[in-house]
Amino acid sequence: MTTSRNWHYSAEIQYIPWTPKARTTDDLSSDHLPVIFELNCPKDEFTTHLSRVTNWVHFQQDIISTTPPRLPLKTEVDIDSAVGILNEKINNSYSKNTIVSSSKLIKNPKTKALIREKNKARKRWQSTWDPAHRATYLNLQGKPNRLLEKTKPIRKKTDKITSLNANGKTLLTDKEIGNDLSEHFSKHFSKAEDEVPSYLTDNTCHHPQENILSMTTPNEVKEVIKNLGNHKAPGHDNITPQMTKNLPIKWIVFLAGIFNAALHLCYFPKTWKRAIIITIPKKSPVKSPEDLRPISLLSTIGKVYERIVLRRLQSYMDSINFIIPQHLDSEKDTPQPTS
């Protein structure tokens, strides 16, 4: 098989998603008559696995070289503007200090041998349940963990939705499938309101003596960022947890200022309300929109702000005994004693 747009097969083809053109050729000196199938499939049908290597030291140095702007942060527009500046700076520094290339890790003979050895050890353990085989498997799985993690996206098999049945019609193109899924999910989910209901703002924002939404500090912001999972997917702003963990202290102070202004105004920036919707199959094969479950990928910085707000709400509810002991603890997810 060649890497060009025309694929050449010398074996039986059971299923292909494009209409092939078959022709014979006598160019080869052989006892058999070669048959060439030309699929002429579009280039966008292929996915190239890319690897990204970021120099985090240079990333930090690039951000440190720029001083955060001094903004008034007195209105919602000021907050949205500050969030935009922060997002732009992080993404620019990341792109300048990240090398993107086609992943060749799976072609490394040592890597292939390591994967084969690990898979064999797992099969031996699952067939014999011998503790010695289990120890060998765990050692192979843990020692080269970072190496195997990088090859996982390459080895992982993903099923693409090639068709969808909706309203008695069969949808074949990506545009038709995307439009139908958008219409389907829009019927099941309502649009979030930009304005906070008055009964919430009256009870939280205008009673500072109750200290419901106390101001945050750079140390608290750093602590929340530190507890973020490194492998969580980013939102539409493309900011990952690892980027936020490598922010220098003066930009952490700038971020804390944004949070404090938002807390003071009881405001949640609009950009943090946006989400990327991706679908996960409930079963295979997928035949209709009901076979897909949507999940939302939210902004990482928005998640940090949510956790800071959550801490204050939990503290306030504990102080007024709002949650009865029979309920699950909202932070630990464990039943509380009833005595």
Side-chain angles (χ1 to χ4, degrees):
M1 185 175 67
T2 64
T3 57
S4 64
R5 294 179 61 184
N6 294 335
W7 287 6
H8 303 277
Y9 288 84
S10 59
E12 178 185 0
I13 298 179
Q14 295 181 349
Y15 170 78
I16 51 176
W18 310 283
T19 303
K21 294 180 180 179
R23 60 184 177 88
T24 59
T25 178
D26 54 0
D27 293 341
L28 301 176
S29 56
S30 172
D31 295 337
H32 304 282
L33 187 64
V35 179
I36 297 178
F37 287 88
E38 296 181 357
L39 300 185
N40 295 316
C41 50
K43 290 183 178 180
D44 56 5
E45 293 289 343
F46 300 97
T47 301
T48 303
H49 294 283
L50 302 177
S51 61
R52 292 175 172 82
V53 180
T54 304
N55 189 323
W56 293 111
V57 174
H58 292 172
F59 172 84
Q60 289 180 330
Q61 292 175 350
D62 184 75
I63 295 186
I64 289 176
S65 64
T66 305
T67 302
R70 294 182 177 272
L71 300 176
L73 298 179
K74 293 181 179 180
T75 65
E76 296 176 358
V77 176
D78 294 339
I79 296 174
D80 288 335
S81 176
V83 172
I85 292 173
L86 178 64
N87 291 350
E88 184 180 3
K89 182 57 185 175
I90 293 176
N91 281 301
N92 287 343
S93 297
Y94 177 77
S95 60
K96 286 168 57 177
N97 298 285
T98 300
I99 299 175
V100 182
S101 60
S102 299
S103 181
K104 298 181 180 179
L105 189 59
I106 196 65
K107 298 180 181 179
N108 190 324
K110 293 183 179 179
T111 305
K112 284 188 174 182
L114 189 62
I115 295 172
R116 285 197 297 267
E117 189 177 354
K118 179 184 76 75
N119 292 338
K120 288 180 180 178
R122 180 180 60 190
K123 290 180 180 178
R124 285 195 298 267
W125 169 51
Q126 292 177 342
S127 61
T128 63
W129 298 105
D130 188 339
H133 292 322
R134 180 177 183 272
T136 303
Y137 166 64
L138 293 178
N139 181 55
L140 289 171
Q141 187 183 37
K143 188 175 181 181
N145 191 41
R146 292 185 62 188
L147 192 61
L148 294 175
E149 272 188 6
K150 293 181 179 180
T151 65
K152 187 179 294 184
I154 305 172
R155 295 180 287 117
K156 185 178 180 181
K157 296 180 180 179
T158 57
D159 296 329
K160 182 179 178 181
I161 302 175
T162 57
S163 65
L164 208 65
N165 297 325
N167 300 323
K169 298 180 180 180
T170 301
L171 309 178
L172 298 175
T173 66
D174 291 344
K175 185 176 180 179
E176 291 176 339
I177 294 174
N179 290 338
D180 185 73
L181 290 177
S182 176
E183 182 180 354
H184 172 75
F185 292 133
S186 63
K187 293 179 181 178
H188 293 77
F189 300 96
S190 59
K191 183 179 178 181
E193 298 293 338
D194 289 333
E195 294 185 3
V196 180
S198 60
Y199 65 85
L200 290 178
T201 57
D202 292 342
N203 293 330
T204 57
C205 296
H206 304 301
H207 295 281
Q209 67 274 12
E210 295 183 2
N211 200 25
I212 300 176
L213 297 178
S214 59
M215 298 295 102
T216 186
T217 63
N219 287 336
E220 183 185 16
V221 174
K222 282 188 66 175
E223 179 190 351
V224 174
I225 290 176
K226 183 180 178 181
N227 293 326
L228 294 174
N230 284 336
H231 302 292
K232 294 295 183 180
H236 70 93
D237 55 11
N238 295 320
I239 296 177
T240 64
Q242 200 162 5
M243 294 182 198
T244 59
K245 291 182 180 182
N246 283 276
L247 286 177
I249 186 60
K250 62 182 180 181
W251 282 93
I252 294 291
V253 173
F254 180 72
L255 181 57
I258 295 175
F259 290 160
N260 285 332
L263 288 170
H264 179 71
L265 297 177
C266 289
Y267 176 63
F268 197 91
K270 294 180 181 179
T271 185
W272 296 342
K273 297 179 183 179
R274 292 180 56 192
I276 297 176
I277 306 298
I278 64 173
T279 56
I280 298 177
K282 297 178 182 178
K283 62 180 182 180
S284 183
V286 175
K287 297 181 179 180
S288 66
E290 287 75 15
D291 297 337
L292 296 168
R293 177 172 63 89
I295 63 172
S296 301
L297 303 182
L298 297 168
S299 168
T300 299
I301 297 179
K303 292 178 183 178
V304 175
Y305 182 56
E306 287 178 354
R307 295 188 184 187
I308 289 174
V309 173
L310 177 62
R311 288 184 174 188
R312 282 143 183 77
L313 294 179
Q314 286 178 329
S315 177
Y316 175 72
M317 289 188 292
D318 290 341
S319 66
I320 61 174
N321 295 322
F322 183 80
I323 300 178
I324 61 176
Q326 288 80 7
H327 283 185
L328 291 177
D329 184 84
S330 57
E331 184 175 5
K332 300 179 182 178
D333 293 333
T334 55
Q336 297 299 301
T338 57
S339 59

